[in-house]
Amino acid sequence: MLKLARTDYHIHPHYSIDASRAGIKDYCYRALELGLAEICFTTHLELDPMRTEIDNFAVLNGEKVPVYNRAWLDQYFVDIERAQDEFRGDNLQVKAGIEVGYCRGCEKDIENIIDSYPFDFVLGAIHCLNHISISSMKDSPRFFRTRSLSQVRTEYFTTLKEAVETGLFDAIAHVDLYRRYGFRQFGPQILTIHRGAIEPIFREMARRGMGLEINTSSRRRGLAEFHPSREIIGLAAEAGIKIFTIGSDAHSLDQVGECLDEAQALLEEFNLVNHVYSRRLATPFPARSAGCNR
Ligand SMILES: [Zn+2]
Ligand SMILES: [Zn+2]
């Protein structure tokens, strides 16, 4: 029987500067339409002081505000708590998360923010290397064109290792994100740069009880595989990682829930289990068969 994924653990509501105008409740209604049991909002938090004018922002009441201005976080939690109350009766669990772009030297600032609010889920991501966004079509060529493949490999995995060792994050988002735009520069060679580099990092994540995200957004960008690839998921399993989350990385309503069932099926191939988080503690989310979703 087809198993259905019923969680989307990576959603950007209008608090993110690169998201559509859809708000927390809009996403909740969409999740209900799709039959999801649980969603987690993961607004961006980017704190690199070299990028203050680029992406150190959130959106509050339609206006861009510096991400350090806690007013947006206060409102974010008010919105999420209202939605939690409103949708509880519909059996939709709504969680408060954040997607933190790791930046060397920002550890204290990250810690101050994540410790000040009752987050359910803190997702760590490597979005920038050497202050250049590797996830931006416009910016990333500046990074990839000025480096050899071996330099990309060293910079990415050194930064990832540091991010893991900070202990600040519950899980790591789209762990092979460099494939998104690096492929254009390096071709298929970039698909294997993780070999020999990612295994010790995964062992450390397993030791710390950290989670790994299956991020389906690669599909809408024309990549054949999810982030991470099947091979990398296998390496994560071998290294002993047990906690996985599934997220669409939706920046608009139409992207919610994309390919979640396929991601769930992929986890099952490796005997891995989807998880949800409450107040930063993970629990397995049992896949339920179609027809008994309540
Ligand atoms: Zn991201
Ligand atoms: Zn995201």
Side-chain angles (χ1 to χ4, degrees), residues 235-288:
L235 292 173
E238 260 172 48
I241 294 180
K242 300 253 185 300
I243 298 170
F244 290 81
T245 61
I246 298 175
S248 67
D249 213 341
H251 284 67
S252 57
L253 289 177
D254 56 310
Q255 294 170 349
V256 178
E258 279 181 347
C259 301
L260 298 184
D261 294 339
E262 199 182 326
Q264 171 71 37
L266 186 55
L267 283 183
E268 286 174 12
E269 274 183 41
F270 288 95
N271 281 323
L272 300 171
V273 179
N274 183 24
H275 282 66
V276 290
Y277 280 80
S278 289
R279 296 293 174 95
R280 311 198 55 192
L281 288 175
T283 48
F285 183 83
R288 301 168 200 186

Side-chain angles (χ1 to χ4, degrees), residues 119-249:
F119 284 108
D120 291 304
F121 183 48
V122 177
L123 186 56
I126 312 296
H127 289 137
C128 293
L129 292 173
N130 199 29
H131 316 291
I132 302 170
S133 169
I134 59 162
S135 60
S136 148
M137 195 187 308
K138 192 162 150 273
D139 262 8
S140 60
R142 260 196 319 132
F143 182 81
F144 291 116
R145 283 186 191 153
T146 53
R147 280 159 178 82
S148 67
L149 192 60
S150 111
Q151 285 171 320
V152 170
R153 179 178 191 266
T154 303
E155 284 187 55
Y156 185 83
F157 289 104
T158 303
T159 310
L160 176 63
K161 179 171 183 285
E162 284 174 17
V164 166
E165 288 174 350
T166 63
L168 291 168
F169 309 118
D170 302 325
I172 296 292
H174 45 58
V175 75
D176 58 1
L177 179 68
Y178 54 81
R179 285 196 295 125
R180 185 193 289 176
Y181 296 120
F183 191 89
R184 297 170 186 208
Q185 179 67 24
F186 297 105
Q189 277 189 307
I190 203 160
L191 304 180
T192 52
I193 61 168
H194 59 276
R195 292 179 186 165
I198 210 166
E199 296 88 337
I201 300 174
F202 279 165
R203 286 194 290 274
E204 180 61 16
M205 287 174 63
R207 197 186 67 76
R208 289 170 176 270
M210 286 176 71
L212 186 71
E213 176 196 60
I214 312 297
N215 183 302
T216 65
S217 70
S218 46
R219 279 295 171 75
R220 61 178 180 264
R221 296 190 167 89
L223 276 73
E225 297 209 63
F226 296 138
H227 292 303
S229 64
R230 176 185 292 265
E231 176 177 319
I232 294 178
I233 296 169
L235 292 173
E238 260 172 48
I241 294 180
K242 300 253 185 300
I243 298 170
F244 290 81
T245 61
I246 298 175
S248 67
D249 213 341

Side-chain angles (χ1 to χ4, degrees), residues 24-193:
I24 302 281
K25 277 193 189 178
D26 302 317
Y27 281 102
C28 293
Y29 284 119
R30 181 69 190 131
L32 280 183
E33 276 174 21
L34 293 169
L36 303 186
E38 181 155 337
I39 57 173
C40 183
F41 292 103
T42 52
T43 294
H44 285 296
L45 181 71
E46 298 289 336
L47 297 164
D48 181 348
M50 300 283 283
R51 294 175 58 86
T52 45
E53 297 306 312
I54 305 168
D55 56 14
N56 292 190
F57 295 104
V59 177
L60 177 62
N61 301 323
E63 303 283 338
K64 247 165 76 166
V65 295
V67 78
Y68 297 98
N69 175 347
R70 303 257 181 120
W72 77 268
L73 277 158
D74 296 342
Q75 187 59 45
Y76 182 52
F77 274 86
V78 167
D79 268 9
I80 289 178
E81 280 160 21
R82 276 192 196 137
Q84 286 167 340
D85 290 343
E86 185 173 337
F87 292 91
R88 193 166 289 131
D90 296 307
N91 283 345
L92 174 67
Q93 298 295 318
V94 180
K95 296 294 175 65
I98 194 155
E99 182 184 15
V100 182
Y102 171 67
C103 158
R104 188 177 301 142
C106 294
E107 295 82 354
K108 269 279 154 229
D109 293 330
I110 297 170
E111 193 176 6
N112 284 341
I113 290 176
I114 61 182
D115 286 353
S116 300
Y117 292 88
F119 284 108
D120 291 304
F121 183 48
V122 177
L123 186 56
I126 312 296
H127 289 137
C128 293
L129 292 173
N130 199 29
H131 316 291
I132 302 170
S133 169
I134 59 162
S135 60
S136 148
M137 195 187 308
K138 192 162 150 273
D139 262 8
S140 60
R142 260 196 319 132
F143 182 81
F144 291 116
R145 283 186 191 153
T146 53
R147 280 159 178 82
S148 67
L149 192 60
S150 111
Q151 285 171 320
V152 170
R153 179 178 191 266
T154 303
E155 284 187 55
Y156 185 83
F157 289 104
T158 303
T159 310
L160 176 63
K161 179 171 183 285
E162 284 174 17
V164 166
E165 288 174 350
T166 63
L168 291 168
F169 309 118
D170 302 325
I172 296 292
H174 45 58
V175 75
D176 58 1
L177 179 68
Y178 54 81
R179 285 196 295 125
R180 185 193 289 176
Y181 296 120
F183 191 89
R184 297 170 186 208
Q185 179 67 24
F186 297 105
Q189 277 189 307
I190 203 160
L191 304 180
T192 52
I193 61 168

